[in-house]
Amino acid sequence: MDINTAYVINTLYVLFSFVLIIFMVPGFAMLEAGIVRTKNVTAVLTMNTMIYAFASMGFLLLGYNIAFGELANDNMSKWAALLFQMAFVGKVVNIMSGGVSERAKIVPLTFFTLIMSSILYPLVVNWTWGADMLKDTAFDLNMYDLAGSTVIHSVGGWALLAAILIMGARKGRYTKDGGVRVIPASNIPLVTLGAFLLWIGWFGFNGGSVGNIASKEGADAVALTILNTNTSGLAGAIVAGGLMLLKYKKLDITMILNGALGGLVAITAAPDLYNIYQPLLVGTIGGALVVFAVPVFDKFRLDDPVGALSVHLVNGIWGTLAVGIFTEKLFLDQLKGVVMIGVFAFVSSYAILFIINKILPLRSKNDEEMEGLDVNECGVEAYPEFKRAF
Amino acid sequence: MDINTAYVINTLYVLFSFVLIIFMVPGFAMLEAGIVRTKNVTAVLTMNTMIYAFASMGFLLLGYNIAFGELANDNMSKWAALLFQMAFVGKVVNIMSGGVSERAKIVPLTFFTLIMSSILYPLVVNWTWGADMLKDTAFDLNMYDLAGSTVIHSVGGWALLAAILIMGARKGRYTKDGGVRVIPASNIPLVTLGAFLLWIGWFGFNGGSVGNIASKEGADAVALTILNTNTSGLAGAIVAGGLMLLKYKKLDITMILNGALGGLVAITAAPDLYNIYQPLLVGTIGGALVVFAVPVFDKFRLDDPVGALSVHLVNGIWGTLAVGIFTEKLFLDQLKGVVMIGVFAFVSSYAILFIINKILPLRSKNDEEMEGLDVNECGVEAYPEFKRAF
Amino acid sequence: MDINTAYVINTLYVLFSFVLIIFMVPGFAMLEAGIVRTKNVTAVLTMNTMIYAFASMGFLLLGYNIAFGELANDNMSKWAALLFQMAFVGKVVNIMSGGVSERAKIVPLTFFTLIMSSILYPLVVNWTWGADMLKDTAFDLNMYDLAGSTVIHSVGGWALLAAILIMGARKGRYTKDGGVRVIPASNIPLVTLGAFLLWIGWFGFNGGSVGNIASKEGADAVALTILNTNTSGLAGAIVAGGLMLLKYKKLDITMILNGALGGLVAITAAPDLYNIYQPLLVGTIGGALVVFAVPVFDKFRLDDPVGALSVHLVNGIWGTLAVGIFTEKLFLDQLKGVVMIGVFAFVSSYAILFIINKILPLRSKNDEEMEGLDVNECGVEAYPEFKRAF
């Protein structure tokens, strides 16, 4: 294939992948809008919209340059490459914002979005996929992470952990005697729709990260990547369903979907390196980790309405380490990446959130939280005509 | 075009088609979640998720091999071909599960999903599109069925008929004096969203089934296929709307959307063989068949909340026969395919469902059905905060 | 690249763009279904479905021929080109129908849809992108309008203005003392979902309008087009959010999303001609125009529930003129196009709607409007089980 044909085909392929990732914007928005209580639905949707706008803008104007240096690309249009990378950045903050929903204020989180997307995340990308300014230092990383089990998902998860530690749990979530009060999701069809839009977006996320489809080997690698991505999600859903049935005799759909997402996060580090059966194991463990991690975080009173710590942080770590177990990549290289990026992401997010919190409190006031963020933050109720059952 | 370029382009094209088909997963889920009553919404969504997980898994691990033998492909990545075929299989069970919703239990249907996807459906594919083990026997088929009017839609419809015969109607659907009680859909926006996601998925279903875009003729065939697919759906919607207006002076959106789906099912056998006007006729008849078939099935007390028998079984048959009427394909070949596959699909599904039913009853108990499957099967209500009007 | 490869790649690229545009069908449907009151939701969804069916059909059977003459294409499958153009036409009527929702009857608007899609819009396309029958007359246009800031969005907006003038405001929208009664959107998640589906569809709308991806320059132009399209939407969302915060201390999500859509409309005339920073300005002004235009239209008692006049008409004009300001295209050429097409679209739409209104009243009767169009037009309530809060 001549070089121009390859350039065109790769551009088309990456634009296709980009569009799939953008489906994750309504994906996250619907998932979170379905999980929170009706009084906080508009706030969650507004937050997701602001994240898409500010994260993309921050990355476009500053972040891309920090991550990759000069904008250049040989094998596809540089604009397509920029779009593809830009599509990633919002996800990091989506992961974080979902886990602090029902009490986080939109404006301060928007400031965090801007800093994360224009500085913090771009530094992580520089370190791993990008210009690599720490090359040949003690911090040089050899971690393999195709599409971001660590770079995207753990980073978002660490930022979330920092945010939860600063902001605390929702009022009434944990009782004084150590109990956990169940706060049911308000709209299960939206949760399901959102989860499947995310799943579909993942095909673009991972498939596009291969970066070159314009050769027989490239085409095989992209197709294998999408196949393995899907398989791991399937395995995660199945094991989560099975465990719920064993434990409670009920098929809790939110846990099944989170199991699938856990499998998808876990495979993301190396869907191109596994054979077609290994993702069964990666996803099975990923789905099981979600089921077991959710109550553990609650035990530590880390209140995360959407289960993002279990899905993204735990499985981001698991998925990155799995590459060191199942492939020829070195386990220690994977571990080093997990730890170093984890420390950087957690400490820097904590520091930035801490400072923002001093200037503009991250958390809504008690009475605002009781009344719901929709009225107080947005002035718009999500379902004004539907009478509340309680 | 050199062979490598063709390989790459076909892989990209089939991956694109695959992704479109996966939009049918939330498509079916939203459509069905919108049609059933609020008390059964979570169960329907859970069923759809389990179907995607188990059907894909069954086909990946066993079914593909039964259908096609060794995994090989000359003109695209074999992984892309596998993904594309795998995306089809869940649809067969989706068709069936939708029609028994509001009374079918999830776990036994999951067992059926596994058997359908790993054995029954793969045998049908072997017989038609695949390895063809019955070649040169009396059962050899020459039916033309590009994307599955028979192979997918009738098979799902026959399995549904078997399931309805075994499970019976929803409580209260038919009165003792022969009347039919209308059970209104609970969420029309979800029905509409689901129908359009299905419609979009169809472009991948039919367009991808052409199998080769990498030549001038191939590109024309794919584009014509998508054009004709769409036209038949348009015609189905228009005729269903017109008939509703004539009959009731009202534009019943659920019937209009089912008319569109009927047109889409009918065209699926040969969208590549028609000129651009014939789909008007195929879809018009398809849409009309839906409007006329729905009350007929109710007359026979075959309770099918989503109208799947009318959409998929009736139009699967009509669409396959239409190829024998409007193209040079032989009518008798088409008829033979419809009958033989129909007998196989109905008998085998009935037998498997009958056996499963003896071990693990397919149908929920009366009080569970009254209370709703969401609480009993999933432990999760779909809209816990919305007060019921009745 | 040889000519056959280019033909195949362009066909695939335009089919991909076509599919993205079709996501705008549920996009408009969900956006409008979320904005209107629950009693009018089914009617809006039915209207959108009828528009897709009749607009596509009208364009397929007659309009394409009026617009482009004989069906021919050198650089891609003619069927793909037809599909792409056909996907546009429904949008013109969607823009119009949204703005008269909650009082417009479905059947007369369906007649208008047929006339708009088979005659009026095709004449505009003939004049601009198509066969150009007015070439070398005084009406010859040199306006640059890549994907339809004027051809699609203003035309839809002018038709809407004509319709509002004929049909008047919703009952109770304006009080006798000149006040405006706020009628809140009934379902914010649907509004958000719809807006993001539209946003995604825009990538196909504008990206596909470049018309040729099969060269290095073509690939760059398509990627730049999509990048700039997105940037303008981001800027529109951000400025609308900022202005709402300044004005009301609240982040009104419906205004933020309309700001994004305003930015998307404005960039549509020339996303391929701008550098990557100019869309920031185009979109910022676009978003601001939405925020300022909405109360102005209300002052004139032009009742437009979805804000379509501000989003599509105002920004269609702004976007077309912006090309004359920021690029080498002549401002007067752009202005001439805006004015001439505006006059044609407004006058012809007004005349056709006026005539239809004499034969079949466009507007529902007062008591029907009070009870809601769902029951009267469709016989199907959107959410029959949800108890109304008022």
Side-chain angles (χ1 to χ4, degrees):
Chain A
M1 187 185 317
D2 69 281
I3 201 167
N4 270 352
T5 307
Y7 185 96
V8 168
I9 292 176
N10 275 329
T11 299
L12 180 55
Y13 142 74
V14 162
L15 289 175
F16 169 54
S17 302
F18 159 74
V19 168
L20 293 185
I21 301 176
I22 301 304
F23 275 103
M24 295 176 118
V25 178
F28 270 110
M30 294 304 116
L31 179 76
E32 296 176 12
I35 281 187
V36 301
R37 283 166 289 183
T38 53
K39 65 182 178 180
N40 298 315
V41 169
T42 304
V44 151
L45 294 167
T46 309
M47 188 72 245
N48 274 276
T49 305
M50 299 308 269
I51 288 171
Y52 180 55
F54 280 90
S56 307
M57 200 58 99
F59 194 75
L60 176 70
L61 297 181
L62 179 59
Y64 188 92
N65 202 260
I66 290 178
F68 293 99
E70 204 179 316
L71 190 59
N73 217 299
D74 288 335
N75 74 336
M76 69 181 67
S77 170
K78 63 183 176 183
W79 310 122
L82 168 58
L83 274 168
F84 183 70
Q85 293 296 339
M86 197 175 77
F88 276 44
V89 63
K91 307 306 151 271
V92 180
V93 194
N94 282 133
I95 290 164
M96 179 264 208
S97 78
V100 289
S101 51
E102 303 211 281
R103 73 267 205 207
K105 289 177 81 74
I106 297 168
V107 173
L109 274 204
T110 301
F111 280 106
F112 180 74
T113 301
L114 210 49
I115 293 165
M116 175 58 99
S117 66
S118 59
I119 301 173
L120 302 188
Y121 169 77
L123 286 173
V124 172
V125 172
N126 178 303
W127 202 359
T128 48
W129 300 335
D132 202 2
M133 62 181 170
L134 297 174
K135 202 173 170 66
D136 300 326
T137 71
F139 300 100
D140 195 6
L141 297 180
N142 286 309
M143 174 182 66
Y144 191 86
D145 187 13
L146 181 77
S149 282
T150 287
V151 174
I152 306 283
H153 296 281
S154 306
V155 168
W158 289 115
L160 170 56
L161 185 62
I164 294 178
L165 288 174
I166 291 174
M167 295 172 58
R170 288 169 290 174
K171 292 285 148 210
R173 171 66 171 162
Y174 302 113
T175 58
K176 283 183 184 162
D177 59 354
V180 180
R181 192 165 69 86
V182 176
I183 300 177
S186 64
N187 193 323
I188 299 293
L190 289 186
V191 175
T192 310
L193 175 64
F196 278 110
L197 291 180
L198 290 175
W199 197 324
I200 288 168
W202 237 287
F203 300 139
F205 221 102
N206 290 8
S209 291
V210 172
N212 180 20
I213 199 174
S215 68
K216 201 165 180 304
E217 296 70 34
D220 283 339
V222 172
L224 178 65
T225 291
I226 295 178
L227 176 63
N228 283 347
T229 298
N230 194 52
T231 302
S232 189
L234 299 173
I238 288 172
V239 74
L243 289 171
M244 293 315 285
L245 208 57
L246 282 175
K247 257 171 104 170
Y248 303 109
K249 311 266 174 238
K250 306 272 184 197
L251 287 159
D252 178 338
I253 178 91
T254 60
M255 199 56 99
I256 293 169
L257 294 170
N258 266 344
L261 296 177
L264 290 164
V265 169
I267 199 70
T268 292
D272 55 331
L273 297 188
Y274 297 123
N275 67 35
I276 69 168
Y277 300 106
Q278 288 168 324
L280 293 171
L281 202 55
V282 173
T284 296
I285 296 173
L289 282 173
V290 170
V291 175
F292 293 119
V294 163
V296 171
F297 286 115
D298 269 328
K299 202 159 200 172
F300 288 100
R301 300 191 157 219
L302 297 166
D303 180 22
D304 167 12
V306 298
L309 289 173
S310 308
V311 169
H312 299 278
L313 178 55
V314 171
N315 271 299
I317 293 170
W318 156 239
T320 309
L321 297 179
V323 184
I325 299 170
F326 297 121
T327 78
E328 292 183 359
K329 302 289 169 192
L330 296 180
F331 184 81
L332 280 178
D333 281 345
Q334 298 300 106
L335 184 62
K336 185 179 170 190
V338 166
V339 171
M340 288 203 141
I341 292 177
V343 169
F344 173 78
F346 179 75
V347 171
S348 63
S349 296
Y350 194 96
I352 300 290
L353 287 166
F354 187 85
I355 294 167
I356 292 175
N357 196 35
K358 291 289 165 199
I359 303 164
L360 214 61
L362 293 166
R363 181 164 185 150
S364 58
K365 289 182 193 123
N366 278 359
D367 57 335
E368 289 170 355
E369 191 180 331
M370 282 303 141
E371 196 185 0
L373 300 180
D374 289 3
V375 172
N376 286 290
E377 295 275 296
C378 306
V380 175
E381 283 184 88
Y383 310 105
E385 295 186 43
F386 298 137
K387 198 162 187 177
R388 293 252 185 88
F390 46 83
Chain B
M1 188 186 316
D2 69 282
I3 201 165
N4 269 353
T5 307
Y7 185 96
V8 168
I9 292 175
N10 274 329
T11 300
L12 180 56
Y13 142 74
V14 162
L15 289 175
F16 168 55
S17 302
F18 159 74
V19 168
L20 293 185
I21 302 176
I22 300 305
F23 274 103
M24 296 176 117
V25 178
F28 270 109
M30 293 304 116
L31 180 76
E32 296 176 11
I35 281 188
V36 301
R37 283 166 290 183
T38 53
K39 65 182 179 179
N40 298 314
V41 169
T42 304
V44 151
L45 293 167
T46 309
M47 188 71 245
N48 274 275
T49 306
M50 299 308 270
I51 287 170
Y52 181 54
F54 279 90
S56 307
M57 200 59 99
F59 194 74
L60 176 70
L61 297 181
L62 180 59
Y64 188 92
N65 202 260
I66 290 178
F68 294 99
E70 204 179 315
L71 191 59
N73 216 299
D74 289 335
N75 75 336
M76 70 182 67
S77 170
K78 63 183 175 183
W79 309 122
L82 169 57
L83 273 167
F84 183 71
Q85 293 296 338
M86 197 175 76
F88 276 44
V89 63
K91 307 306 151 272
V92 180
V93 194
N94 282 134
I95 292 163
M96 179 265 208
S97 78
V100 289
S101 51
E102 304 212 278
R103 73 270 204 204
K105 289 177 79 76
I106 297 168
V107 173
L109 275 203
T110 301
F111 280 106
F112 180 74
T113 301
L114 210 49
I115 293 165
M116 174 58 99
S117 67
S118 60
I119 301 172
L120 301 188
Y121 169 76
L123 286 173
V124 172
V125 173
N126 179 302
W127 202 0
T128 49
W129 302 333
D132 202 3
M133 62 181 169
L134 297 174
K135 202 174 171 64
D136 300 325
T137 72
F139 300 101
D140 195 5
L141 297 180
N142 286 309
M143 175 183 65
Y144 191 85
D145 187 13
L146 180 76
S149 282
T150 287
V151 175
I152 305 283
H153 296 281
S154 306
V155 167
W158 288 117
L160 170 57
L161 186 62
I164 294 178
L165 289 175
I166 290 174
M167 295 172 57
R170 288 170 289 174
K171 290 287 148 208
R173 170 66 171 163
Y174 302 112
T175 58
K176 282 183 186 164
D177 58 354
V180 179
R181 193 165 68 87
V182 176
I183 299 177
S186 65
N187 193 323
I188 299 293
L190 288 187
V191 175
T192 310
L193 175 63
F196 279 110
L197 291 180
L198 290 175
W199 197 324
I200 289 169
W202 237 287
F203 300 140
F205 222 101
N206 290 7
S209 291
V210 173
N212 179 21
I213 199 174
S215 68
K216 200 165 178 306
E217 296 70 35
D220 283 339
V222 172
L224 178 65
T225 290
I226 295 178
L227 176 63
N228 283 347
T229 298
N230 193 52
T231 302
S232 188
L234 298 172
I238 289 172
V239 75
L243 289 171
M244 294 315 285
L245 207 58
L246 282 176
K247 257 171 104 171
Y248 304 109
K249 312 267 174 237
K250 306 272 185 198
L251 287 159
D252 179 336
I253 178 91
T254 59
M255 199 55 99
I256 293 169
L257 294 170
N258 266 345
L261 297 177
L264 290 165
V265 169
I267 199 69
T268 291
D272 55 330
L273 297 188
Y274 296 123
N275 67 35
I276 69 167
Y277 300 106
Q278 288 168 325
L280 293 171
L281 202 55
V282 174
T284 296
I285 296 174
L289 282 173
V290 171
V291 174
F292 294 118
V294 163
V296 172
F297 286 116
D298 270 326
K299 202 160 200 171
F300 288 100
R301 299 190 160 223
L302 296 165
D303 180 22
D304 167 11
V306 298
L309 289 173
S310 308
V311 169
H312 298 278
L313 178 55
V314 172
N315 271 298
I317 293 170
W318 156 240
T320 310
L321 297 180
V323 183
I325 299 170
F326 297 122
T327 78
E328 292 183 357
K329 302 290 169 192
L330 296 180
F331 184 82
L332 279 179
D333 281 347
Q334 299 300 107
L335 184 63
K336 185 179 171 189
V338 165
V339 172
M340 288 203 141
I341 292 177
V343 169
F344 173 78
F346 179 75
V347 171
S348 63
S349 297
Y350 194 96
I352 300 291
L353 286 165
F354 187 86
I355 294 167
I356 292 176
N357 195 36
K358 292 288 164 199
I359 303 164
L360 213 62
L362 293 166
R363 182 165 185 149
S364 58
K365 289 183 194 125
N366 278 358
D367 56 336
E368 290 170 355
E369 190 180 332
M370 283 302 140
E371 196 186 0
L373 300 180
D374 289 3
V375 173
N376 286 289
E377 294 275 296
C378 306
V380 175
E381 283 184 88
Y383 310 106
E385 295 186 45
F386 298 136
K387 198 162 186 176
R388 291 253 184 89
F390 46 84
Chain C
M1 187 185 316
D2 69 281
I3 201 167
N4 270 353
T5 308
Y7 185 97
V8 168
I9 292 176
N10 274 330
T11 300
L12 180 55
Y13 142 73
V14 162
L15 289 174
F16 168 54
S17 302
F18 159 75
V19 168
L20 293 185
I21 301 176
I22 301 305
F23 274 103
M24 295 176 118
V25 179
F28 270 109
M30 294 303 116
L31 180 75
E32 296 177 11
I35 281 187
V36 302
R37 284 164 290 182
T38 53
K39 64 183 177 179
N40 298 315
V41 169
T42 304
V44 151
L45 294 167
T46 308
M47 188 71 243
N48 275 275
T49 305
M50 298 308 268
I51 288 171
Y52 180 55
F54 280 90
S56 307
M57 200 57 100
F59 194 74
L60 176 70
L61 296 182
L62 180 58
Y64 188 92
N65 202 259
I66 291 179
F68 294 98
E70 204 179 315
L71 191 61
N73 217 301
D74 288 335
N75 74 336
M76 69 182 67
S77 171
K78 64 183 175 183
W79 309 123
L82 169 57
L83 274 168
F84 183 70
Q85 294 295 338
M86 197 175 77
F88 276 44
V89 63
K91 307 307 151 271
V92 180
V93 194
N94 283 133
I95 291 164
M96 179 264 208
S97 79
V100 290
S101 51
E102 303 211 280
R103 74 269 205 204
K105 288 178 79 76
I106 297 168
V107 173
L109 275 203
T110 302
F111 281 106
F112 179 75
T113 301
L114 210 48
I115 293 165
M116 175 58 100
S117 66
S118 60
I119 301 174
L120 302 187
Y121 170 78
L123 286 173
V124 173
V125 173
N126 179 302
W127 203 0
T128 49
W129 301 333
D132 202 1
M133 61 181 171
L134 297 174
K135 201 173 172 65
D136 301 325
T137 72
F139 301 101
D140 195 6
L141 297 180
N142 286 309
M143 174 183 66
Y144 192 85
D145 187 13
L146 181 77
S149 283
T150 287
V151 174
I152 306 283
H153 296 281
S154 306
V155 168
W158 288 116
L160 170 57
L161 185 62
I164 294 178
L165 288 175
I166 291 173
M167 294 172 58
R170 289 169 289 175
K171 291 286 147 207
R173 171 65 172 163
Y174 302 113
T175 59
K176 284 182 184 165
D177 58 354
V180 179
R181 193 165 68 87
V182 176
I183 299 176
S186 66
N187 193 323
I188 299 293
L190 288 187
V191 175
T192 310
L193 175 64
F196 278 110
L197 292 180
L198 289 175
W199 197 323
I200 289 168
W202 237 287
F203 299 140
F205 221 101
N206 291 6
S209 291
V210 173
N212 179 21
I213 199 175
S215 68
K216 200 165 179 304
E217 295 70 35
D220 283 339
V222 172
L224 177 65
T225 291
I226 295 178
L227 175 63
N228 283 347
T229 299
N230 193 52
T231 302
S232 189
L234 299 173
I238 289 172
V239 74
L243 289 172
M244 295 315 284
L245 208 56
L246 282 175
K247 257 172 105 171
Y248 305 108
K249 312 265 173 240
K250 306 272 185 199
L251 288 159
D252 178 336
I253 178 91
T254 60
M255 199 57 100
I256 293 169
L257 294 170
N258 265 345
L261 296 177
L264 290 164
V265 169
I267 200 68
T268 292
D272 54 330
L273 297 188
Y274 296 123
N275 66 36
I276 69 168
Y277 300 106
Q278 288 169 323
L280 294 171
L281 202 55
V282 173
T284 296
I285 295 173
L289 282 172
V290 170
V291 174
F292 293 119
V294 163
V296 172
F297 286 115
D298 269 328
K299 202 158 199 173
F300 288 100
R301 298 191 158 222
L302 297 165
D303 181 22
D304 167 13
V306 298
L309 289 173
S310 309
V311 169
H312 298 278
L313 178 55
V314 171
N315 271 299
I317 293 171
W318 155 239
T320 310
L321 297 179
V323 183
I325 299 170
F326 298 122
T327 78
E328 293 183 356
K329 301 290 169 192
L330 296 179
F331 184 81
L332 279 178
D333 281 346
Q334 298 300 106
L335 184 63
K336 186 180 170 190
V338 165
V339 172
M340 288 203 142
I341 292 177
V343 170
F344 173 77
F346 179 76
V347 171
S348 64
S349 296
Y350 194 96
I352 300 291
L353 287 166
F354 187 85
I355 294 167
I356 292 176
N357 195 36
K358 292 288 165 197
I359 303 164
L360 213 61
L362 293 166
R363 182 165 185 149
S364 58
K365 289 183 194 125
N366 278 359
D367 58 334
E368 289 170 355
E369 190 179 331
M370 283 302 140
E371 196 185 1
L373 300 180
D374 289 2
V375 173
N376 286 289
E377 295 274 297
C378 306
V380 174
E381 283 184 88
Y383 311 105
E385 295 186 45
F386 299 138
K387 197 162 187 177
R388 291 253 185 89
F390 47 82

